[in-house]
Amino acid sequence: METKAARPSLTWLLATWGVTRVVLLLFVFRVYVFPGPDVTSDVSVIYRGWYEVLRHGTFPLDDVTWQYPPAAALAILSPAALPFLSYAHAFFVLAFLTDLAVLALLRYPGGRPGRSLRGAWVWVAGVPLLGPTVYARYDVMVTAVAVAALLAGARYPRLMGTLTAFGALLKVWPALLLVGGVRRRAWASAVVTAAGLAALFALSMPGSFAFLTFQRDRGTEVESLGSLVFHVARHFGWHGEVLLNYGSIEFLGPQVAQVSTAALALTGVAFGWLLLWRLRATRFAPHTLADAAFTAVLLFTVTSRVISPQYLVWLIGLAAACLTHRASRMGVPALMVVLASFVTVLEFPLGFSHVVVSDWYGITLLALRNGLLVAATLTAARRLWRATVPPVAAAPFPPQATRAQETPVSS
């Protein structure tokens, strides 16, 4: 039963969610125009075009902007469930309902012993800071699957494995949710589900895994951590270009390939650290699963060649899942992610023209946003390590008398 003290908090939570989400709907439905580039065009133009191809039973094989695993087709086709609305409007309504579902998931454990409503508040406060982009990308749907998987993990490992595999076939990154998993049933369920779904898509729809080639050929996107090298270099004579490439604005020109390779190498180092942590960790609490997933996705995000604004939706969702546990150590990294979300909307769409031309305002916004993400990553990794890896015991220093006895006497 909820205490009387908890009821006002829940009322404020729901009221805040309702007001902020109505504002988001007014922006994506174009009742009010959000400043900057039209973020809804991805749905009305790109997603709509993919929908026309996908509903005929094949993937968009000739479109290099299709860079998603096969289950992403389900998200793109989902507006067909609301045939009385236009494609774009149906997508926005489904994104809104998915947002509500995530709130319900995060609210559910809040009243149990050892759990908290902090996670629900992170979701309610963090999502609208990203502006209408949240409802104009399918990432909120992927995040919902990831949050459900983490919340199910402690009590229903097989369900977690199934949801994780499905999420990975929606957008790859949810595979990282298993980093902190200690139950074999979760891993086994994930492997079986992933293999079954992958085989089903491969047999039923041509080009299910063409996205792997398209992803391999991507460059350095203008909002990534590595892009700061070229933003600054443009002020000192670098003569590359900023062009639409593989569906995003990327740097093209001298040394871009080297920076992209360095980003891939950093991703390799990050995964090496995760492997070392997994081998050394011995203290697993109920919140460790979510804390490890949050840390892993942070590492993946900051070392990526691309940091699109919608990536912050993943991080907000995972931070919220962590903070449903009172014992979670991820409070400070979660706050940094929320702050980075606010800076992100200043950078895209509000200040994106400044980013594209690499003026100092755009560079400052990027440096601040990416700096917050790097700080969140390092803090999360440090806290995860300290909470789960036992300290190495120092060898006892032998007493002086013992050392004297062991000292060889020269003849």
Side-chain angles (χ1 to χ4, degrees):
M1 292 180 62
E2 291 179 343
T3 65
K4 291 183 179 180
R7 289 172 189 165
S9 176
L10 178 60
T11 300
W12 279 107
L13 180 75
L14 296 176
T16 304
W17 183 88
V19 170
T20 55
R21 274 40 178 195
V22 166
V23 172
L24 289 179
L25 285 174
L26 291 174
F27 282 132
V28 293
F29 276 90
R30 307 287 288 175
V31 176
Y32 297 103
V33 177
F34 199 80
D38 179 13
V39 300
T40 66
S41 62
D42 274 32
V43 176
S44 58
V45 178
I46 298 175
Y47 286 13
R48 185 74 172 82
W50 290 340
Y51 171 84
E52 293 299 331
V53 176
L54 290 166
R55 70 190 187 95
H56 290 100
T58 186
F59 287 91
L61 301 177
D62 298 326
D63 187 350
V64 295
T65 62
W66 175 263
Q67 300 178 13
Y68 308 106
L74 301 178
I76 303 303
L77 291 169
S78 63
L82 302 176
F84 48 88
L85 294 174
S86 69
Y87 179 88
H89 288 176
F91 187 92
F92 302 146
V93 169
L94 290 172
F96 167 82
L97 293 175
T98 304
D99 182 359
L100 178 59
V102 175
L103 176 63
L105 287 169
L106 294 167
R107 160 68 187 91
Y108 176 72
R112 301 210 304 263
R115 307 304 283 270
S116 171
L117 281 177
R118 290 187 306 160
W121 272 111
V122 167
W123 180 256
V124 168
V127 164
L129 291 179
L130 289 168
T133 303
V134 174
Y135 284 177
R137 305 290 188 271
Y138 85 92
D139 295 80
V140 67
M141 301 174 184
V142 185
T143 303
V145 175
V147 170
L150 287 177
L151 295 180
R155 302 177 66 184
Y156 308 104
R158 287 194 180 92
L159 177 59
M160 180 201 170
T162 298
L163 290 172
T164 297
F166 179 59
L169 287 173
L170 279 170
K171 208 165 188 182
V172 181
W173 67 264
L176 295 169
L177 303 184
L178 289 170
V179 164
V182 294
R183 298 194 180 186
R184 293 181 181 178
R185 285 175 291 175
W187 286 85
S189 177
V191 170
V192 171
T193 302
L197 288 176
L200 178 64
F201 278 110
L203 292 173
S204 61
M205 295 182 70
S208 298
F209 295 94
F211 78 97
L212 294 171
T213 300
F214 298 156
Q215 280 284 356
R216 181 194 63 199
D217 295 334
R218 294 196 73 160
T220 296
E221 189 254 350
V222 294
E223 297 165 281
S224 65
L225 185 62
S227 74
L228 287 168
V229 173
F230 301 110
H231 283 296
V232 174
R234 292 175 86 180
H235 291 267
F236 296 93
W238 184 75
H239 297 297
E241 298 178 291
V242 177
L243 297 173
L244 180 64
N245 188 50
Y246 288 96
S248 63
I249 306 297
E250 297 181 355
F251 281 111
L252 301 174
Q255 286 79 51
V256 172
Q258 289 84 343
V259 170
S260 296
T261 300
L264 290 173
L266 281 175
T267 300
V269 171
F271 286 137
W273 183 89
L274 284 172
L275 177 60
L276 177 63
W277 167 79
R278 194 65 181 79
L279 293 173
R280 295 283 306 278
T282 58
R283 301 183 298 214
F284 288 86
H287 58 85
T288 303
L289 182 66
D291 288 0
F294 180 47
T295 303
V297 176
L298 274 168
L299 286 164
F300 171 82
T301 301
V302 298
T303 60
S304 174
R305 293 171 291 172
V306 180
I307 305 181
S308 296
Q310 60 267 27
Y311 289 16
L312 274 294
V313 182
W314 318 342
L315 299 175
I316 292 170
L318 297 181
C322 291
L323 295 190
T324 59
H325 300 271
R326 291 187 184 277
S328 174
R329 303 290 300 277
M330 296 297 150
V332 172
L335 177 59
M336 291 178 182
V337 165
V338 171
L339 292 175
S341 299
F342 175 67
V343 180
T344 295
V345 79
L346 297 179
E347 172 262 311
F348 182 90
L350 294 178
F352 195 59
S353 61
H354 296 276
V355 173
V356 172
V357 299
S358 301
D359 66 22
W360 288 112
Y361 177 70
I363 293 174
T364 300
L365 287 177
L366 270 184
L368 182 57
R369 194 279 302 271
N370 291 346
L372 283 167
L373 291 179
V374 170
T377 303
L378 296 176
T379 304
R382 182 171 177 266
R383 291 187 170 205
L384 178 66
W385 186 278
R386 287 193 166 189
T388 57
V389 177
V392 178
F397 201 74
Q400 185 173 359
T402 304
R403 294 202 309 272
Q405 292 171 6
E406 292 176 350
T407 304
V409 179
S410 57
S411 55

